Amino acid sequence: MSIIYNALSGALAAQAGLAATSQNVANIMTPGYTRQGVLLASIAPRQTGVLSAGSGVAVPALIRFSDGYKSLQMWSSASELGQRTTAQPYLTQLEQVMGDEESGINNGLDAFFGALNAASVDPTSTPLRQQIITAADALAQRFNSLTQVLSNQRQAIVQQRNTTITQINGLSKDIAELNKEIAATQGTGVNPSALMDARDNKIDELAGLVALQVVDQADGTRSISLRGGQPLVVGGRSATMSAVTNPDGSQTLQVAFASESFVLPRTGLGGELGGLEDYETKTLMPMIESIGDMAEQLADAVNTQLAAGFAPDGTPGVPLFVYDSTTATGTLRVTPGIQGSQLAFSSSATAGGNSDNLLALIGVRSSPITLPGLGSVTLSDASTQLVAKLGMDSQQNQAAMDTATTVRNQAEESWKSTSGVNQDEEAINLMQYQQMYQANMKVIAVANELFDNTLAMLG
């Protein structure tokens, strides 16, 4: 009978192994699936007074081939990739707009100062004076078009941030619910591997949105917090993240958990959320400020120089530009109703054909202006340096994104080497467990034959 018991336990163990192998093969194409195996343990002989080699084999547990370190590496790489990937479309769009010949500020400045140079040949020419008004209006439109693009990007960032926060809250809630199910399943003897896979996939998705710290708990749950320590998931409870819009248009991020509320920093968030924050604070807002300052200082310099001259009829110069700083990004426009005959090119009220003030006006292009991040630069170089700085930022982010993509791919491959299903390995396991099952059934057949022979002898 001990032979039959041993063989039966072996057959049952082989069935468990075949079941685990079949589950692995069935999920070979399932994203995020963690392969499983059986843990075999020899059963000690019973205390019967009869010499026995043992009491067979048992399957005390199923093995889930998961490496916590490799999972953390994969989630960390997801955060870095999410951060770089989110910022790149905004950088590329702004780089193309500012560098475009049709919409760039440089060509607008060239056309405006080119019209001033053309008028220096004949300062009294009405068509040449009117061409200056036209070129000034076109330059103002280029500034306003660029500020509109910047404003649209800021609005898009607000919308994308709100969407990202909604996703973070949804995933945090899902992970908390899975924590509950896993903790409840642990004590029932039911295999929770599928629930753990679902939770890991949710965590990986969440890591792409914001950088995480993940800690395993004794009851099988996982606690998740932000990089700064603010909690997102603790056991079966999840936090709620929100964005509060400030009067200046910026947003303050908060996390509410239980009765506590945490204000998040604007840097170091990681993931898509961190990418949006970094782009807005380090690139977009300084660019909005620089373009606004450039337009305002251009208007002030031109208007100041015109105020020092006289029109052909001897009247003092009037402003050519009006800069409205009350709007969100600032608006530049030509003085409504101004005519070419009002442009003060002469340095003398009695010498209408004098062009001394016009020459000084042309020299404004080489005058210094002060921009955030660049310091003191000439008006003619300001736009070029802004485009160059933007291009450098875009190139650096692209290089970082390429590196993050490589790191992410390597992390996935490293995870698959431990947790992924290998078709060849499962084929070998399938044959081994089949042979194990057949061998144990053969042992049972032999034991039955011996038992029958024994009964026949006793009869």
Side-chain angles (χ1 to χ4, degrees), residues 305-325:
Q305 191 60 54
L306 285 172
F310 299 90
D313 61 359
T315 57
V318 297
L320 175 60
F321 291 109
V322 176
Y323 181 76
D324 184 2
S325 60

mmCIF file of all heavy atoms in Angstrom, residues 305-325:
data_model
loop_
_atom_site.group_PDB
_atom_site.id
_atom_site.type_symbol
_atom_site.label_atom_id
_atom_site.label_comp_id
_atom_site.label_asym_id
_atom_site.label_seq_id
_atom_site.Cartn_x
_atom_site.Cartn_y
_atom_site.Cartn_z
ATOM 1 N N GLN A 305 13.221 106.211 -29.531
ATOM 2 C CA GLN A 305 13.999 106.869 -30.584
ATOM 3 C C GLN A 305 13.114 107.751 -31.465
ATOM 4 O O GLN A 305 13.505 108.863 -31.863
ATOM 5 C CB GLN A 305 14.707 105.807 -31.443
ATOM 6 C CG GLN A 305 15.755 106.383 -32.393
ATOM 7 C CD GLN A 305 16.858 107.116 -31.645
ATOM 8 O OE1 GLN A 305 17.475 106.552 -30.746
ATOM 9 N NE2 GLN A 305 17.102 108.378 -32.003
ATOM 10 N N LEU A 306 11.909 107.287 -31.786
ATOM 11 C CA LEU A 306 10.996 108.112 -32.581
ATOM 12 C C LEU A 306 10.605 109.378 -31.829
ATOM 13 O O LEU A 306 10.398 110.449 -32.444
ATOM 14 C CB LEU A 306 9.739 107.303 -32.937
ATOM 15 C CG LEU A 306 9.902 106.233 -34.026
ATOM 16 C CD1 LEU A 306 8.642 105.397 -34.133
ATOM 17 C CD2 LEU A 306 10.233 106.874 -35.370
ATOM 18 N N ALA A 307 10.486 109.275 -30.506
ATOM 19 C CA ALA A 307 10.124 110.458 -29.708
ATOM 20 C C ALA A 307 11.207 111.523 -29.743
ATOM 21 O O ALA A 307 10.922 112.708 -29.464
ATOM 22 C CB ALA A 307 9.848 110.044 -28.268
ATOM 23 N N ALA A 308 12.415 111.108 -30.098
ATOM 24 C CA ALA A 308 13.522 112.078 -30.164
ATOM 25 C C ALA A 308 13.581 112.802 -31.502
ATOM 26 O O ALA A 308 14.407 113.709 -31.680
ATOM 27 C CB ALA A 308 14.847 111.358 -29.913
ATOM 28 N N GLY A 309 12.729 112.435 -32.463
ATOM 29 C CA GLY A 309 12.760 113.041 -33.796
ATOM 30 C C GLY A 309 11.504 113.819 -34.122
ATOM 31 O O GLY A 309 10.623 114.010 -33.283
ATOM 32 N N PHE A 310 11.445 114.184 -35.426
ATOM 33 C CA PHE A 310 10.336 115.009 -35.901
ATOM 34 C C PHE A 310 9.848 114.475 -37.237
ATOM 35 O O PHE A 310 10.617 113.966 -38.058
ATOM 36 C CB PHE A 310 10.771 116.470 -36.053
ATOM 37 C CG PHE A 310 11.228 117.097 -34.759
ATOM 38 C CD1 PHE A 310 12.571 117.031 -34.375
ATOM 39 C CD2 PHE A 310 10.328 117.733 -33.937
ATOM 40 C CE1 PHE A 310 12.997 117.600 -33.181
ATOM 41 C CE2 PHE A 310 10.749 118.319 -32.737
ATOM 42 C CZ PHE A 310 12.082 118.243 -32.363
ATOM 43 N N ALA A 311 8.534 114.593 -37.422
ATOM 44 C CA ALA A 311 7.920 114.217 -38.700
ATOM 45 C C ALA A 311 8.211 115.288 -39.747
ATOM 46 O O ALA A 311 8.671 116.400 -39.417
ATOM 47 C CB ALA A 311 6.417 114.040 -38.497
ATOM 48 N N PRO A 312 7.946 115.020 -41.035
ATOM 49 C CA PRO A 312 8.212 116.011 -42.086
ATOM 50 C C PRO A 312 7.516 117.341 -41.856
ATOM 51 O O PRO A 312 8.025 118.390 -42.279
ATOM 52 C CB PRO A 312 7.690 115.315 -43.347
ATOM 53 C CG PRO A 312 7.832 113.871 -43.053
ATOM 54 C CD PRO A 312 7.533 113.730 -41.606
ATOM 55 N N ASP A 313 6.376 117.350 -41.189
ATOM 56 C CA ASP A 313 5.676 118.609 -40.949
ATOM 57 C C ASP A 313 6.143 119.323 -39.700
ATOM 58 O O ASP A 313 5.566 120.332 -39.279
ATOM 59 C CB ASP A 313 4.164 118.371 -40.881
ATOM 60 C CG ASP A 313 3.784 117.425 -39.743
ATOM 61 O OD1 ASP A 313 4.686 116.948 -39.020
ATOM 62 O OD2 ASP A 313 2.579 117.131 -39.584
ATOM 63 N N GLY A 314 7.215 118.763 -39.052
ATOM 64 C CA GLY A 314 7.790 119.412 -37.878
ATOM 65 C C GLY A 314 7.182 119.003 -36.567
ATOM 66 O O GLY A 314 7.628 119.452 -35.503
ATOM 67 N N THR A 315 6.182 118.151 -36.574
ATOM 68 C CA THR A 315 5.564 117.696 -35.316
ATOM 69 C C THR A 315 6.431 116.629 -34.659
ATOM 70 O O THR A 315 7.150 115.885 -35.341
ATOM 71 C CB THR A 315 4.163 117.124 -35.565
ATOM 72 O OG1 THR A 315 4.257 116.052 -36.510
ATOM 73 C CG2 THR A 315 3.247 118.211 -36.117
ATOM 74 N N PRO A 316 6.390 116.536 -33.312
ATOM 75 C CA PRO A 316 7.194 115.522 -32.619
ATOM 76 C C PRO A 316 6.758 114.105 -33.005
ATOM 77 O O PRO A 316 5.619 113.875 -33.415
ATOM 78 C CB PRO A 316 6.918 115.805 -31.142
ATOM 79 C CG PRO A 316 6.424 117.202 -31.103
ATOM 80 C CD PRO A 316 5.690 117.424 -32.387
ATOM 81 N N GLY A 317 7.693 113.175 -32.847
ATOM 82 C CA GLY A 317 7.416 111.796 -33.198
ATOM 83 C C GLY A 317 6.365 111.162 -32.307
ATOM 84 O O GLY A 317 6.233 111.510 -31.130
ATOM 85 N N VAL A 318 5.631 110.221 -32.854
ATOM 86 C CA VAL A 318 4.617 109.469 -32.105
ATOM 87 C C VAL A 318 5.050 108.009 -32.019
ATOM 88 O O VAL A 318 5.829 107.522 -32.855
ATOM 89 C CB VAL A 318 3.226 109.578 -32.781
ATOM 90 C CG1 VAL A 318 2.744 111.019 -32.775
ATOM 91 C CG2 VAL A 318 3.279 109.035 -34.203
ATOM 92 N N PRO A 319 4.545 107.258 -31.029
ATOM 93 C CA PRO A 319 4.947 105.839 -30.894
ATOM 94 C C PRO A 319 4.493 105.007 -32.102
ATOM 95 O O PRO A 319 3.384 105.189 -32.600
ATOM 96 C CB PRO A 319 4.237 105.397 -29.623
ATOM 97 C CG PRO A 319 3.945 106.655 -28.877
ATOM 98 C CD PRO A 319 3.697 107.696 -29.913
ATOM 99 N N LEU A 320 5.356 104.107 -32.520
ATOM 100 C CA LEU A 320 4.998 103.198 -33.613
ATOM 101 C C LEU A 320 4.337 101.934 -33.071
ATOM 102 O O LEU A 320 3.417 101.393 -33.685
ATOM 103 C CB LEU A 320 6.254 102.821 -34.412
ATOM 104 C CG LEU A 320 6.087 101.774 -35.522
ATOM 105 C CD1 LEU A 320 5.076 102.246 -36.570
ATOM 106 C CD2 LEU A 320 7.436 101.458 -36.169
ATOM 107 N N PHE A 321 4.815 101.467 -31.901
ATOM 108 C CA PHE A 321 4.298 100.223 -31.319
ATOM 109 C C PHE A 321 3.563 100.497 -30.012
ATOM 110 O O PHE A 321 3.849 101.467 -29.299
ATOM 111 C CB PHE A 321 5.435 99.240 -31.031
ATOM 112 C CG PHE A 321 6.088 98.665 -32.251
ATOM 113 C CD1 PHE A 321 7.381 99.044 -32.612
ATOM 114 C CD2 PHE A 321 5.430 97.744 -33.054
ATOM 115 C CE1 PHE A 321 8.003 98.505 -33.724
ATOM 116 C CE2 PHE A 321 6.044 97.200 -34.171
ATOM 117 C CZ PHE A 321 7.326 97.584 -34.511
ATOM 118 N N VAL A 322 2.633 99.597 -29.713
ATOM 119 C CA VAL A 322 1.960 99.574 -28.412
ATOM 120 C C VAL A 322 2.087 98.151 -27.872
ATOM 121 O O VAL A 322 1.703 97.194 -28.547
ATOM 122 C CB VAL A 322 0.473 99.961 -28.529
ATOM 123 C CG1 VAL A 322 -0.207 99.829 -27.166
ATOM 124 C CG2 VAL A 322 0.322 101.370 -29.069
ATOM 125 N N TYR A 323 2.646 98.046 -26.668
ATOM 126 C CA TYR A 323 2.768 96.722 -26.039
ATOM 127 C C TYR A 323 1.822 96.653 -24.861
ATOM 128 O O TYR A 323 1.891 97.469 -23.930
ATOM 129 C CB TYR A 323 4.198 96.448 -25.569
ATOM 130 C CG TYR A 323 4.355 95.077 -24.942
ATOM 131 C CD1 TYR A 323 4.398 93.940 -25.734
ATOM 132 C CD2 TYR A 323 4.433 94.936 -23.554
ATOM 133 C CE1 TYR A 323 4.517 92.681 -25.165
ATOM 134 C CE2 TYR A 323 4.556 93.679 -22.980
ATOM 135 C CZ TYR A 323 4.599 92.560 -23.797
ATOM 136 O OH TYR A 323 4.709 91.310 -23.225
ATOM 137 N N ASP A 324 0.904 95.690 -24.890
ATOM 138 C CA ASP A 324 -0.091 95.509 -23.840
ATOM 139 C C ASP A 324 0.354 94.367 -22.935
ATOM 140 O O ASP A 324 0.304 93.196 -23.316
ATOM 141 C CB ASP A 324 -1.458 95.211 -24.457
ATOM 142 C CG ASP A 324 -2.564 95.118 -23.410
ATOM 143 O OD1 ASP A 324 -2.268 95.328 -22.218
ATOM 144 O OD2 ASP A 324 -3.715 94.833 -23.785
ATOM 145 N N SER A 325 0.791 94.693 -21.742
ATOM 146 C CA SER A 325 1.290 93.677 -20.799
ATOM 147 C C SER A 325 0.194 93.127 -19.897
ATOM 148 O O SER A 325 0.462 92.272 -19.046
ATOM 149 C CB SER A 325 2.394 94.281 -19.926
ATOM 150 O OG SER A 325 1.887 95.381 -19.184
#
